[in-house]
Amino acid sequence: MKKMKNRLRRCGTLHGMQRQFGPGGRSRIRSGCAALVFGMAGLAAGAQSNRVVAVRDRLQPLAAGAVTIGGYLGNKMDLCINNRIVLQPAAPFLRIFKTKNLDPGGYWGEFIGKWATAAALACRYQSNPALTGKANTAMQELIHAPAENGYISTYNASDAFKVWDIWIQKYVLLGLIAQYDEAGDLQYLRAAQRSADYLLSKTGPGKMSLEEYGPPFHKGGVNFSILEPIVLLYQRTGDKRYLKYAEYIVASWSKPGKYAPKGVRLIENAEAGLPLVQYEVHHAYALMSNFEGLCELYRATGNKRYLDACIKFAEAVEKYELMITGTVCNHEMWYNGALAQTGVLEQPNETCATVTWMKLCYQLLRLTGNPRWADAMERSLYNGLLGAMMPRGEWWAYHSQLNGQRMPSRVQGCDISCCVSSGPRGLLITPEWMAMKMPNDALAVNLYSAGKITHQLKNGASVQLTEATTYPAGGNIRFTVQTQRPVTFPLQLRIPDWSKKTKLTVNGKPVTAAPGGYVTLHRVWEQGDRIELELDMRGRIVHAPSGTDQAVVRGPVVLAMDSRLVPEQDTAIWLIGGARKFEPFPGNPKYRSLDPAHDFDSQKEDVYIDLRPVDVPDKNIWMAFEVPFTDRPIFHIHREKRILMCDYASAGNQWSETNLYRVWLPQPMYMGNMYARNTWKLLGYGMKAPMKVPAYITEALKDK
Ligand SMILES: [Zn+2]
């Protein structure tokens, strides 16, 4: 409590905030207008205490440290924190803010902000004094770097706002705000305000347009994404100038701009359900960032049109672009990925885009309370995101193939790249959405993992849920309640849309659990209460939106063939799904045939497939299964072939030219050349050899 009071003091004090916004805060929220929301708990990132908002989130993150994650996922989190965030030197990121000799074409200034937001998330998850100290030192250096008019930039004053400057400014502000939220130190907020104020003094209505000098190809999309931190500043200060500027940005989308004669029309396009390739802003990561900002503006204003547009936008991403691994884009651009994903793409699935998609889903989960967005995040987490992280967490992929090989990201500047700095921001939000609370004291569990959840009720009572599971390797999840006295609160368990047959019991008594929503257990909880959940982990055959390719999934996990488990061979194979069985060949029972023949037209629904878990010698492969296929050497002789497939995130995780993998399986698939080779040549611009992890990282890891 003393610590919390100190935090409040540093934040400018409750009285100071009341003076600034007047006494009407509490009453105004009832009328739905912007209001100041106070609370003692959770001043840290993501919480809504001390924020000027018009709508409360339906789902809010728990207090710092309330979620402990064990098992496979917890190990991945630890590796990411220790081998990437802690290990990353901040000096190269800061140097360019001091020397300002960076070519204006460079966007390396984004790295410090991305690192600082990841560090804040890491410290919120688990107290880490060394990392807290490192982040504080770095941010102190940042705010004391030479900054004319308070504007913190890698650019000289004469180059202000040119090319990537405003994109960089976004991450400067996000990093400072994240550190303010985490450390409660007001000087970070003030530094962010000074820097933003300079931008506001030079751009906006009657001044230079925001996109004036932005990269022309992006048609303003890059610069518009400053929306998010501008709204975050409004939420933390109540200063209406920020709100006005945010509304100016959004209004400018519908007006003729320097690079888009009819405007970029983001809201109108979303409302019309337009395919993403038809947007003026082609860059996936940049465009999704604009909608992240729009989510914040909805939170600040309560303008429902903004939320509806964000939902429609995300639905269009799912419909037109999302690949089976929960990833998007090719060459960083919208690409009709849902249809194109079965081919060998040149530069698919930028990690920055995966992370931004997850962050957008996280916004929608908070704002709507609809667990469909947690379904989407889980798919990205266990496939695209973890597949892009190297096994020791020290580095990330820039692009991730669905057919080919994995390759470490190239270095862009400051010994790092956009994607290496983005990846941790996607992984480290996991504790924020794994379990969340509702204004009515409900606890919603969105993601299952071995570990512990501490839920603090408004009446001061605290309850712990310990969770024993190997999910998603296994489908059984057991919660045990620990509480000093009986407590009443609704416990909401997310039942994923794919779990069509779920078993749920509370202290042995069955409860109905329908897929695609929460099941709510409203009762008095007592010490030792047990909840047993069994999700439907049957294998499923998924049909590609295009053509006749199929893929195999199990729970949230996409399976892949990997050259360590399945060598190329001269045969063609078909998946055996559903009720299809071998039958004796008429007139010659010595042979068997598989009937009926594949009927692609009727296979629009997922079909179940019999998967058998197996142990494989390579310990870097998390999960492997025998999958039933058939080959047909002679037209009437059909044989079953059980072929190993592993989880997509493990596939190709030797990160070498010889470790190849593929997800989509044509029907039939000729196995003689089933893996795309040398895809690294597509990933780099004229590279002579596949990328390697930079030496400073491998050297640092040697000491571990
Ligand atoms: Zn990137």
Side-chain angles (χ1 to χ4, degrees):
M1 184 53 84
K2 193 176 168 195
K3 193 176 162 196
M4 195 58 75
K5 277 184 182 158
N6 283 338
R7 272 187 172 184
L8 271 179
R9 207 167 295 132
R10 277 179 307 198
C11 289
T13 79
L14 206 118
H15 293 300
M17 298 293 263
Q18 274 172 330
R19 261 202 312 279
Q20 195 172 352
F21 310 118
R26 279 175 188 277
S27 60
R28 273 186 288 154
I29 198 158
R30 279 186 226 117
S31 63
C33 302
L36 188 58
V37 182
F38 286 112
M40 289 297 284
L43 281 178
Q48 276 187 294
S49 310
N50 255 350
R51 304 285 159 77
V52 183
V53 293
V55 286
R56 282 179 199 272
D57 286 354
R58 300 270 177 96
L59 287 171
Q60 297 166 7
L62 302 178
V67 172
T68 308
I69 305 175
Y72 169 86
L73 187 56
N75 182 44
K76 293 290 181 190
M77 301 262 308
D78 293 346
L79 290 168
C80 177
I81 292 169
N82 295 326
N83 293 348
R84 171 98 295 278
I85 302 303
V86 170
L87 197 147
Q88 175 63 48
F93 299 168
L94 292 162
R95 195 172 299 129
I96 52 179
F97 285 88
K98 296 172 188 167
T99 58
K100 298 185 190 291
N101 59 358
L102 183 69
D103 182 301
Y107 40 84
W108 323 150
E110 70 178 35
F111 300 140
I112 185 68
K114 287 182 167 182
W115 177 78
T117 53
L121 286 167
C123 294
R124 218 177 102 68
Y125 168 54
Q126 277 176 348
S127 168
N128 188 332
L131 183 56
T132 299
K134 185 171 177 172
N136 270 321
T137 305
M139 296 320 266
Q140 285 293 333
E141 276 194 53
L142 181 69
I143 63 178
H144 291 112
E148 247 178 83
N149 308 303
Y151 189 62
I152 302 173
S153 169
T154 55
Y155 287 42
N156 283 311
S158 57
D159 290 328
F161 316 130
K162 287 183 185 166
V163 203
W164 293 100
D165 191 34
I166 292 174
W167 175 263
I168 290 169
Q169 184 62 202
K170 169 177 74 166
Y171 285 105
V172 165
L173 299 181
L174 287 174
L176 288 170
I177 292 167
Q179 286 300 316
Y180 162 68
D181 287 349
E182 176 56 26
D185 191 337
L186 200 58
Q187 60 176 323
Y188 297 135
L189 184 65
R190 295 288 176 250
Q193 283 181 269
R194 282 194 298 276
S195 200
D197 289 352
Y198 183 67
L199 177 70
L200 265 61
S201 74
K202 296 292 178 189
T203 62
K207 302 169 200 165
M208 190 200 306
S209 79
L210 181 62
E211 77 270 28
E212 183 71 26
Y213 294 133
F217 174 81
H218 292 272
K219 299 187 180 179
V222 155
N223 287 11
F224 295 142
S225 69
I226 193 89
L227 176 63
E228 182 189 2
I230 292 293
V231 183
L232 293 179
L233 282 178
Y234 167 69
Q235 292 172 0
R236 281 152 185 77
T237 62
D239 189 332
K240 287 272 170 54
R241 290 178 307 126
Y242 300 125
L243 184 62
K244 233 172 113 185
Y245 191 80
E247 295 278 20
Y248 145 75
I249 295 173
V250 172
S252 73
W253 295 350
S254 304
K255 292 176 186 163
K258 183 174 176 189
Y259 304 110
K262 292 180 181 166
V264 291
R265 303 180 63 77
L266 304 190
I267 293 178
E268 294 86 345
N269 289 355
E271 288 171 338
L274 224 59
L276 279 299
V277 287
Q278 293 184 30
Y279 278 62
E280 295 276 357
V281 179
H282 302 307
H283 193 260
Y285 167 21
L287 184 60
M288 289 189 289
S289 303
N290 296 159
F291 280 90
E292 284 186 282
L294 195 61
C295 285
E296 287 297 348
L297 190 55
Y298 165 68
R299 188 173 283 120
T301 62
N303 183 340
K304 187 80 179 353
R305 190 183 179 204
Y306 298 156
L307 176 65
D308 291 343
C310 291
I311 293 170
K312 294 271 279 183
F313 172 79
E315 286 172 347
V317 171
E318 286 186 318
K319 180 176 175 185
Y320 295 109
E321 295 289 343
L322 201 66
M323 302 198 198
I324 189 169
T325 43
T327 51
V328 295
C329 76
N330 187 19
H331 281 292
E332 304 186 17
M333 307 295 157
W334 300 114
Y335 207 71
N336 271 326
L339 289 175
Q341 63 181 307
T342 50
V344 176
L345 299 175
E346 307 97 306
Q347 302 195 342
N349 303 321
E350 187 196 10
T351 299
C352 290
T354 306
V355 168
T356 312
W357 166 245
M358 293 180 72
K359 287 167 67 244
L360 180 62
C361 290
Y362 175 51
Q363 284 279 10
L364 295 176
L365 179 67
R366 288 164 62 194
L367 291 170
T368 66
N370 187 336
R372 67 179 282 195
W373 303 113
D375 277 27
M377 291 171 83
E378 182 179 38
R379 171 146 69 126
S380 302
L381 170 68
Y382 278 119
N383 299 292
L385 189 75
L386 284 170
M389 187 173 94
M390 295 192 74
R392 295 181 71 185
E394 77 278 30
W395 202 252
W396 292 73
Y398 202 121
H399 308 284
S400 296
Q401 298 283 2
L402 300 190
N403 182 0
Q405 70 186 83
R406 297 197 186 277
M407 187 178 75
S409 168
R410 64 184 179 273
V411 163
Q412 291 169 320
C414 303
D415 298 330
I416 198 171
S417 75
C418 56
C419 288
V420 177
S421 57
S422 284
R425 303 173 76 225
L427 185 56
L428 298 179
I429 56 169
T430 307
E432 309 291 310
W433 65 276
M434 175 172 274
M436 304 179 83
K437 63 183 177 186
M438 294 186 169
N440 69 347
D441 255 353
L443 176 68
V445 182
N446 293 314
L447 184 70
Y448 303 108
S449 158
K452 204 178 278 183
I453 300 164
T454 303
H455 182 38
Q456 202 80 40
L457 276 72
K458 280 188 280 200
N459 67 7
S462 173
V463 59
Q464 273 197 345
L465 266 69
T466 51
E467 199 176 342
T469 184
T470 60
Y471 177 85
N476 294 322
I477 300 136
R478 190 178 67 231
F479 291 97
T480 309
V481 175
Q482 289 170 305
T483 177
Q484 298 210 323
R485 54 188 162 92
V487 283
T488 308
F489 67 91
L491 176 63
Q492 303 201 167
L493 302 176
R494 173 183 146 251
I495 310 299
D497 189 49
W498 45 259
S499 185
K500 304 298 185 205
K501 284 186 182 171
T502 304
K503 287 184 192 158
L504 175 65
T505 62
V506 179
N507 295 333
K509 285 193 185 135
V511 178
T512 308
Y518 288 116
V519 57
T520 303
L521 307 171
H522 199 146
R523 54 179 282 138
V524 180
W525 297 100
E526 294 183 17
Q527 172 70 16
D529 278 346
R530 281 161 68 105
I531 303 144
E532 308 260 358
L533 177 64
E534 190 183 331
L535 296 174
D536 184 354
M537 303 306 281
R538 285 178 292 170
R540 306 178 327 270
I541 296 178
V542 172
H543 298 261
S546 65
T548 57
D549 283 23
Q550 299 179 349
V552 182
V553 300
R554 180 180 176 276
V557 171
V558 175
L559 302 189
M561 287 194 183
D562 182 295
S563 58
R564 285 169 292 182
L565 303 175
V566 188
E568 290 180 331
Q569 50 203 282
D570 283 325
T571 188
I573 53 169
W574 302 74
L575 276 162
I576 308 175
R580 302 180 69 226
K581 286 192 179 65
F582 287 97
E583 292 170 3
F585 191 77
N588 192 343
K590 208 172 99 188
Y591 301 132
R592 297 192 310 157
S593 62
L594 191 64
D595 278 327
H598 282 73
D599 174 4
F600 293 110
D601 278 346
S602 69
Q603 293 184 358
K604 298 300 179 205
E605 295 294 314
D606 288 358
V607 172
Y608 292 99
I609 184 167
D610 174 36
L611 304 180
R612 294 181 198 160
V614 288
D615 281 330
V616 292
D618 192 322
K619 291 302 157 209
N620 278 325
I621 296 177
W622 180 31
M623 291 182 216
F625 302 90
E626 278 183 6
V627 183
F629 290 82
T630 179
D631 71 347
R632 313 200 271 199
I634 303 172
F635 79 98
H636 59 283
I637 303 177
H638 299 174
R639 299 180 301 203
E640 182 175 358
K641 266 176 96 77
R642 288 211 156 241
I643 293 176
L644 295 181
M645 296 181 77
C646 67
D647 62 290
Y648 171 78
S650 298
N653 71 0
Q654 286 182 336
W655 295 68
S656 73
E657 279 174 273
T658 54
N659 187 192
L660 306 171
Y661 64 94
R662 70 173 300 146
V663 169
W664 288 106
L665 311 171
Q667 298 295 297
M669 181 172 74
Y670 174 55
M671 297 178 76
N673 55 359
M674 59 189 267
Y675 300 116
R677 286 184 168 70
N678 297 323
T679 50
W680 64 268
K681 291 181 180 174
L682 296 172
L683 295 178
Y685 302 96
M687 277 190 310
K688 298 282 183 274
M691 281 292 157
K692 295 220 177 329
V693 175
Y696 79 98
I697 294 291
T698 43
E699 282 300 313
L701 280 177
K702 270 187 194 157
D703 302 335
K704 295 215 164 203

